[in-house]
Amino acid sequence: MTAEYYADEYRRYGLYARNYGDNKLFRIACGPRNDDYHWTRVLMEKAGQDNLLGGRYMDGLALHYYTSVKRLPDGSRVGDRDAI
């Protein structure tokens, strides 16, 4: 999914997801999976602003950073032996 497409979909979600009664809804957008500054810039420009109804599309941004696990020849992972 491109940043532009996600931002458009998120704006649609942010416009229709509203508070009901005393329940406050916090709309959290998903940030990039790595250091993709383009994704963050596009999302903040398109969805980080106020909507036409005077509310915010987004209350927060969840940042993610994924790593891979290195397996040793015996099938264990790096760091497993240190935990024993």
Side-chain angles (χ1 to χ4, degrees), residues 26-57:
F26 291 95
R27 293 165 297 253
I28 309 298
C30 183
R33 64 178 179 194
N34 53 25
D35 59 350
D36 186 349
Y37 300 112
H38 171 75
W39 176 282
T40 305
R41 185 177 58 253
V42 168
L43 180 60
M44 296 306 291
E45 286 173 356
K46 293 184 101 176
Q49 56 191 281
D50 291 343
N51 63 42
L52 297 176
L53 301 176
R56 307 271 299 145
Y57 288 109

Side-chain angles (χ1 to χ4, degrees), residues 5 11 32 40 71:
Y5 180 77
R11 281 173 57 106
T40 305
R71 295 224 176 248

Side-chain angles (χ1 to χ4, degrees), residues 4-19:
E4 291 79 8
Y5 180 77
Y6 177 75
D8 289 341
E9 289 297 308
Y10 187 84
R11 281 173 57 106
R12 184 183 343 239
Y13 163 78
L15 182 61
Y16 292 104
R18 300 188 186 145
N19 299 324

